[in-house]
Amino acid sequence: MLSHLTLQDFAVVSRAELAFGPGMTVVSGETGAGKSLLVDALMWLTGARADAGVVRHGADRAELAAEFELADAPAALAWLRENELDDGDACQLRRVMRADGGSRAWINGRPATLGQLSALGGLLVEIHGQHEHQALLDRGQQLALLDAFGQHGPLLDAVRETARRWATIDRDLADLARAGDVGERLAWLEHQVQELAAETLDPESLEELAAAHRRQANAAGLIQGCEVALARLAGDEGLSLQRLLHQTQSELARLAGDEPRLAEVLSLLESAGIQLAEAAAGIERLHDDFDLDPDRLRSLEDRLARLHDLARKHRVPLEELAGRRDQLQEELEGLAGAGERAARLGRERDAAAREWNEAATRLGQARARCATQLGEAVAGLMGELGMGGGVFTVALEPLDTTRPTPQGAERCEFLVSANPGQPPRALRKVASGGELARISLAIEVAALGFDAVPTMVFDEVDTGIGGAVAEVVGQKLRALGGERQVLCVTHLPQVAAQGHHHYRVSKAVEADSTHSQVEALTEKDRVEELARMLGGVEITKEVRANARQLLARASAR
């Protein structure tokens, strides 16, 4: 619901701040005073393209701001959250239009694009009047209103779900088709997997292979080194280390009687002797294990060469060959079942299409029944609104598509003939702005409570009517105000009297400059304004009495 509207340097308004509440608010004023500027301001705040002509003469820019309470606009609140523009349970739209034609917009204080402003505005405000900014002219919105009127939610959900499932399966089939003939790829994969599977590629085996190759490649040097070490330990090349150690141990043992602390040294020498003996035995065992085997070395080198060739072929490090093998194996298994998977997906797509057809048929039948009901209801209201003999029908046309669509199997078009004898035409092609506004009002009243947009604006819906018809129009607007917030710009007292709230727009010329002012009217002020609308220049007691009578009748309803 719109709660506040602020205009600054907008057209002939230097500054105006308006507060709005629930129910029906009317805006009246003399011709040319700028009554429709409030509607224009809401249009620009909800995404209309900027026009430098809206900037007041002499000002650098025009500024507009509107605040909305979102308790009655769950769709708008959800949109704000989805786009990360939410700020509690309220929303502020702001737009600045410069005299040079530039424009900027903000949603809850954050910069916004014109597309975002339009998308959000469509969930907050619906404008009906002598302009093209009307949601009811859009065929998609017409179909949505028909479904809301018929309460087709569950039927529509079933259609959307089956269409979504069909689309998902169709994408999977398209992905398989893009792969083309997989026979050649399968043969290549089988060869690569077999080639890699013939090798042991786990990290432990690769490390063991590298170590074995190092040992075999350096076997001669290892044997020679062991022989030199054994000779030194045994004394073949001079004094034996073991014999020298034994002599040293004997000499110190004789001295130990004189110096007890030498006992610790003797213990260490004894341990050293044991370790020398164990080292010699270990070297001897290693020496016996080493074998100069050219065939073994060649075998190890061949295997390493194969592994390095495979790594270069698959463009991965040697240690990542196992991962590459597993990746190719997974692809091979996936392609091996491609034919069977395609057949299965084809069957699933056919089943989804049958389910969609059944769901769409049920929805289409419900829409056909509802279209008749809505058409009769709107046509009856058109008669009450001064278009007696007018015709309103809801035409359903089958969609020319082979693909299941989320909206069902048909599209919708509102057709109208405002005068007897004229063939019905599309609502979006109706020429008369006043007729279009009243037809829109009839549709909204017929669908009372089903349209999700919380704020409805009617601009000059009473053009070309008067008397009893004007009072009926006002009554319908007031009834609509019981379910939605309604803003109505009017020049008829019969309509203005039906408002729960009343604003008057007046124009004054000061210092060769024209200014419009907007003021909220008290009960007494409303009587005077209605009397002006009724009586023109001369306002008599009888005119004022008539004005009070209009207000009393409206309040009694």
Side-chain angles (χ1 to χ4, degrees):
M1 180 183 74
L2 176 66
S3 58
H4 290 88
L5 180 64
T6 302
L7 294 74
Q8 183 168 334
D9 293 330
F10 182 69
V12 292
V13 178
S14 55
R15 182 168 181 83
E17 294 186 11
L18 295 84
F20 297 92
M24 174 184 173
T25 298
V26 295
V27 180
S28 65
E30 295 181 357
T31 301
K35 298 187 296 296
S36 293
L37 284 178
L38 302 182
V39 179
D40 294 338
L42 287 173
M43 286 176 56
W44 268 288
L45 278 168
T46 54
R49 293 200 170 275
D51 180 356
V54 303
V55 181
R56 189 171 65 86
H57 179 69
D60 295 328
R61 62 186 184 182
E63 293 191 31
L64 305 172
E67 295 181 15
F68 293 85
E69 297 174 2
L70 302 178
D72 55 356
L77 184 58
W79 186 94
L80 287 166
R81 288 171 177 166
E82 181 180 346
N83 289 271
E84 298 182 348
L85 292 169
D86 55 309
D87 186 15
D89 295 329
C91 172
Q92 183 186 68
L93 305 182
R94 179 170 173 255
R95 192 165 182 190
V96 172
M97 290 160 287
R98 298 192 303 272
D100 61 7
S103 171
R104 293 184 65 190
W106 293 264
I107 297 175
N108 284 331
R110 300 163 200 165
T113 65
L114 194 62
Q116 288 176 317
L117 206 63
S118 179
L120 177 59
L123 301 173
L124 292 170
V125 178
E126 190 171 281
I127 300 177
H128 304 269
Q130 301 182 57
H131 46 70
E132 297 180 356
H133 187 71
Q134 299 188 43
L136 279 178
L137 299 183
D138 179 74
R139 299 184 70 174
Q141 291 294 329
Q142 292 175 3
L143 186 62
L145 191 146
L146 177 66
D147 285 331
F149 181 78
Q151 299 181 341
H152 298 153
L155 294 173
L156 190 58
D157 289 342
V159 169
R160 287 171 175 163
E161 172 57 27
T162 51
R164 183 201 61 77
R165 188 164 71 251
W166 185 94
T168 300
I169 298 171
D170 189 62
R171 282 195 299 270
D172 291 343
L173 275 170
D175 291 340
L176 284 177
R178 278 193 293 270
D181 184 8
V182 298
E184 184 177 343
R185 180 68 176 175
L186 276 172
W188 183 86
L189 285 170
E190 288 174 352
H191 174 72
Q192 303 306 317
V193 171
Q194 289 175 2
E195 191 175 48
L196 290 169
E199 304 292 341
T200 306
L201 300 176
D202 60 274
E204 294 79 9
S205 297
L206 293 178
E207 181 60 33
E208 183 180 343
L209 173 63
H213 178 263
R214 288 194 300 271
R215 286 195 303 271
Q216 193 63 45
N218 297 308
L222 291 169
I223 292 173
Q224 182 181 3
C226 289
E227 289 176 348
V228 170
L230 287 171
R232 288 175 178 170
L233 289 173
D236 294 343
E237 297 182 358
L239 188 61
S240 167
L241 288 177
Q242 290 176 313
R243 185 178 301 113
L244 181 60
L245 182 61
H246 181 70
Q247 289 176 355
T248 302
Q249 188 176 4
S250 298
E251 291 172 357
L252 289 175
R254 289 195 298 273
L255 299 172
D258 298 328
E259 178 50 68
R261 287 179 295 178
L262 287 175
E264 183 177 353
V265 176
L266 289 171
S267 177
L268 293 173
L269 291 174
E270 183 179 0
S271 298
I274 295 172
Q275 291 176 356
L276 278 176
E278 291 179 352
I283 293 173
E284 191 169 357
R285 285 193 300 274
L286 289 172
H287 176 269
D288 294 340
D289 287 342
F290 294 138
D291 184 15
L292 289 174
D293 187 347
D295 293 337
R296 168 68 173 162
L297 177 60
R298 190 162 44 251
S299 175
L300 292 171
E301 288 178 341
D302 289 346
R303 187 182 172 201
L304 276 174
R306 286 198 310 272
L307 292 176
H308 283 292
D309 286 344
L310 287 172
R312 285 192 295 271
K313 178 180 179 180
H314 292 282
R315 298 180 180 180
V316 295
L318 188 64
E319 59 272 12
E320 294 183 14
L321 274 176
R324 177 61 175 163
R325 176 200 61 204
D326 296 341
Q327 180 184 359
L328 293 174
Q329 179 66 40
E330 183 178 351
E331 183 181 355
L332 176 63
E333 292 172 355
L335 286 181
E340 180 182 346
R341 183 165 179 257
R344 176 176 56 80
L345 286 174
R347 292 190 297 271
E348 291 178 358
R349 184 176 64 177
D350 291 343
R354 287 192 299 272
E355 292 179 21
W356 180 86
N357 279 323
E358 293 171 0
T361 298
R362 291 192 295 270
L363 177 60
Q365 292 170 347
R367 282 172 171 170
R369 293 190 297 269
C370 179
T372 301
Q373 297 169 3
L374 180 59
E376 292 174 351
V378 174
L381 286 165
M382 287 171 59
E384 296 183 48
L385 298 177
M387 290 176 284
V391 176
F392 183 90
T393 60
V394 180
L396 296 174
E397 304 171 8
L399 286 174
D400 184 16
T401 179
T402 58
R403 298 173 60 88
T405 59
Q407 70 267 27
E410 55 275 319
R411 59 182 180 178
C412 174
E413 180 82 81
F414 288 175
L415 304 178
V416 64
S417 170
N419 300 303
Q422 293 183 348
R425 292 188 301 153
L427 179 64
R428 51 195 166 88
K429 296 180 180 179
V430 172
S432 169
E435 288 179 349
L436 180 59
R438 275 179 280 152
I439 293 167
S440 298
L441 173 60
I443 294 170
E444 292 296 348
V445 172
L448 191 61
F450 296 114
D451 197 327
V453 178
T455 299
M456 296 180 180
V457 181
F458 293 88
D459 185 17
E460 303 285 359
V461 296
D462 46 20
T463 299
I465 63 173
V469 173
E471 189 165 357
V472 171
V473 169
Q475 291 169 0
K476 298 301 182 186
L477 286 168
R478 187 179 179 92
L480 188 61
E483 296 289 336
R484 296 287 186 270
Q485 183 186 44
V486 172
L487 275 65
C488 177
V489 177
T490 182
H491 66 277
L492 292 181
Q494 295 92 334
V495 175
Q498 297 292 332
H500 299 94
H501 317 282
H502 196 152
Y503 278 101
R504 178 175 59 203
V505 180
S506 57
K507 181 173 63 175
V509 178
E510 299 177 2
D512 298 327
S513 178
T514 301
H515 297 270
S516 287
Q517 296 178 335
V518 186
E519 58 181 325
L521 300 184
T522 64
E523 195 70 17
K524 180 180 178 181
D525 294 333
R526 290 192 71 183
V527 171
E528 291 300 313
E529 175 64 7
L530 291 177
R532 180 196 65 78
M533 298 170 76
L534 284 165
V537 177
E538 185 178 356
I539 301 176
T540 64
K541 293 180 180 180
E542 291 77 10
V543 172
R544 288 190 175 90
N546 193 4
R548 293 190 187 92
Q549 188 178 19
L550 284 175
L551 286 173
R553 280 207 306 268
S555 300
R557 289 185 175 274

